[in-house]
Amino acid sequence: PGLWTTDFQQDIIGLVKEAVALEYDYAKDTMPQGILGMNAEMFQEYLYFIANRRLAQIGLPELYPGAENPFPW
């Protein structure tokens, strides 16, 4: 419990934001025209959805309210 400080929580939130941005940049680079029914914008929404789930799992607030999984699988 002593480790779960506000500063540590903010560090985690910052890392998640950075990870989402890097993954989205990767998606834009690797699928500029889309592939297999997926495009970078859909992948971004998926990243938001996953980031929210991960944050909720560790008791932190969502960063991307309303984000949904755009993929049927």
Side-chain angles (χ1 to χ4, degrees):
L3 296 175
W4 197 241
T5 64
T6 302
D7 286 341
F8 184 55
Q9 292 174 30
Q10 291 304 310
D11 287 345
I12 292 171
I13 290 169
L15 290 170
V16 170
K17 285 181 183 178
E18 181 180 7
V20 167
L22 291 170
E23 286 284 344
Y24 180 55
D25 286 344
Y26 176 78
K28 289 189 295 187
D29 287 344
T30 59
M31 32 184 178
Q33 310 303 321
I35 184 171
L36 300 173
M38 179 175 15
N39 61 42
E41 288 72 31
M42 290 172 72
F43 194 70
Q44 182 182 43
E45 181 71 10
Y46 178 72
L47 292 170
Y48 290 168
F49 171 75
I50 293 298
N52 283 343
R53 283 184 52 184
R54 297 295 180 253
L55 289 166
Q57 288 172 329
I58 59 173
L60 294 173
E62 292 184 346
L63 288 175
Y64 311 100
E68 296 182 5
N69 185 351
F71 303 120
W73 58 86

